[in-house]
């Protein structure tokens, strides 16, 4: 479905009060993350046309208040290693689409349509890009969308969720009682800029993104299939769906010849709920993830139970890295654990062969994106803005029990993957239609 987007206005929103920190150092992993954005688009189905300007002004005012807490997002990247917290501001855009919100909801697999709602920065000079941009899009009916994009140099998905939750509180007149902490460089100390990092899961071929919805009933059936007494007795929904997707994705990539293909598989693990508060505050803003590596080949059929077992083992290995010194009274045990995590991640990244086919999975489940109520109700749908670098993003469905998987693959692979009979048993196309 075609959609035209008319930009009505652009404005720079600055914090309503100045900050006191002038320079924020990027962490070790922030430095080599690609200059992209982590984005989410929130769709709402009810506004009064004559209240449009009031709605937009409310968003602007509350955004300005929120930027006072999240002030680095109003700054600019400097020389790729620091953020100049100069209060230069975030980009706020208002636009109008020539389609109905119901048209968008009825075209769930049209990721290109959804991604048009994201405002792309001028890519001439990344140092001049705003670190946060918001696009408010009004559809032809009473529906509208709020697209929020934050620099991946400063935010992961959990950080974006925390920012949006704080913004919604401000929009409803409530002050956030807990200030965010930009502590990435404390947890992952910066590296010498002369250090060369391996390419970070680059996607060089033309790709296509589609979404697949797993309903609660099918998830339970898949969890039963993924569990077994000898390996993992109770597989989680994320483990089960991830194992199925990886099986189908690698099947779509298996060569037609006898040549063996290497697969490098990563699945992002949010560190915040896994480490003690002495390591990391729960409101830490930054890229606080662990990135374990699974190495497979096209000779392996990627049986679901075996893959779930391997995914579970990576969690246990991370827990061991964290708790190895838990009984040690040495005050340096926390620092030793952080060093082990950093060392393990760097080791994994360096193990990725340039010839390997890479698959990366990131779970946004349980991150409360559907709680984004600015004062006009909860969103009818939330979609990730871009998954071209992550390849798979898992999000809660609106009911909180189902899961929506956004999958990016090379176009030739997607043509086979989206028709995989095994996948369609658990994520039938009929479940992908959203309703208000």
């Amino acid at each position: 479905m075609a959609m035209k987007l008319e930009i009505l206005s652009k404005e720079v929103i600055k914090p309503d009060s100045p900050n006191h920190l002038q320079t924020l150092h990027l962490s070790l992993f922030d430095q080599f993350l690609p200059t992209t954005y982590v984005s989410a688009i929130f769709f709402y189905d009810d506004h009064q046309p004559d209240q449009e300007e009031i709605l937009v002004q409310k968003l602007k005012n509350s955004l300005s208040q929120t930027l006072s807490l999240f002030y680095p997002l109003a700054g600019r990247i400097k020389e790729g290693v620091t953020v100049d917290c100069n209060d230069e501001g975030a980009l706020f855009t208002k636009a109008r689409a020539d389609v109905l919100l119901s048209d968008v909801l009825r075209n769930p697999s049209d990721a290109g349509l959804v991604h048009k709602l994201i405002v792309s920065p001028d890519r001439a000079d990344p140092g001049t890009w705003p670190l946060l941009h918001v696009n408010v899009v009004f559809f032809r009916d009473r529906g509208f969308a709020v697209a929020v994009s934050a620099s991946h140099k400063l935010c992961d998905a959990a950080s974006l969720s925390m920012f949006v939750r704080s913004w919604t509180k401000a929009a409803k007149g409530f002050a956030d009682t807990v200030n965010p902490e930009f502590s990435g460089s404390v947890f992952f100390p910066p590296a010498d800029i002369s250090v060369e990092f391996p390419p970070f899961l680059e996607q060089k071929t033309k790709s296509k993104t589609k979404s697949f919805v797993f309903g609660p009933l099918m998830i339970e059936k898949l969890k039963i299939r993924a569990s077994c007494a000898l390996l993992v007795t109770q597989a989680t929904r994320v483990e089960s769906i991830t194992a199925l997707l990886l099986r189908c994705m690698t099947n779509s990539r298996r060569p037609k010849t006898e040549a063996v293909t290497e697969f490098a598989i990563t699945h992002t693990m949010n560190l915040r709920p896994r480490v003690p508060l002495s390591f990391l505050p729960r409101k830490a803003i930054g890229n606080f993830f662990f990135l374990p590596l699974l190495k497979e080949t096209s000779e392996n059929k990627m049986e679901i139970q075996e893959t779930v077992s391997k995914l579970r083992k990576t969690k246990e290995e991370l827990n061991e890295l964290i708790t190895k010194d838990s009984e040690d009274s040495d005050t340096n045990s926390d620092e030793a654990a952080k060093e082990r995590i950093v060392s393990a991640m760097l080791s994994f990244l360096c193990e990725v062969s340039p010839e390997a086919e890479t698959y990366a999975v990131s779970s946004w489940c349980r991150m409360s994106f559907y709680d984004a109520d600015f004062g006009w109700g909860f969103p009818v749908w939330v979609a990730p803005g871009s998954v071209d670098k992550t390849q798979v993003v898992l999000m809660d469905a609106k009911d909180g029990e189902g899961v929506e998987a956004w999958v990016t693959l090379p176009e030739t692979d997607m043509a086979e993957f989206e028709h995989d009979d095994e996948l369609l048993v658990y994520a039938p196309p009929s479940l992908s239609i959203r309703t208000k």
Side-chain angles (χ1 to χ4, degrees), residues 59-78:
L59 286 173
K60 290 179 181 179
N61 292 341
S62 54
L63 177 60
S64 178
Q65 296 170 28
T66 308
L67 284 173
S68 295
L69 296 175
F70 293 79
Y71 54 86
L73 290 174
R76 296 294 183 269
I77 299 290
K78 186 177 181 181

Side-chain angles (χ1 to χ4, degrees), residues 25 37-38 59 80 92-93 103 119 141 146 160 177-178 186 191 206 218 250 302 353 365 368 399 423-424:
H25 290 276
Y37 290 84
V38 54
L59 286 173
F92 188 100
T93 305
D103 293 333
V119 176
D141 50 10
V146 179
L160 181 67
T177 56
V178 181
V186 177
K206 191 173 181 180
M218 286 302 176
T250 53
M302 299 287 290
S353 167
C365 294
S368 305
D399 61 10
L423 171 67
L424 296 179

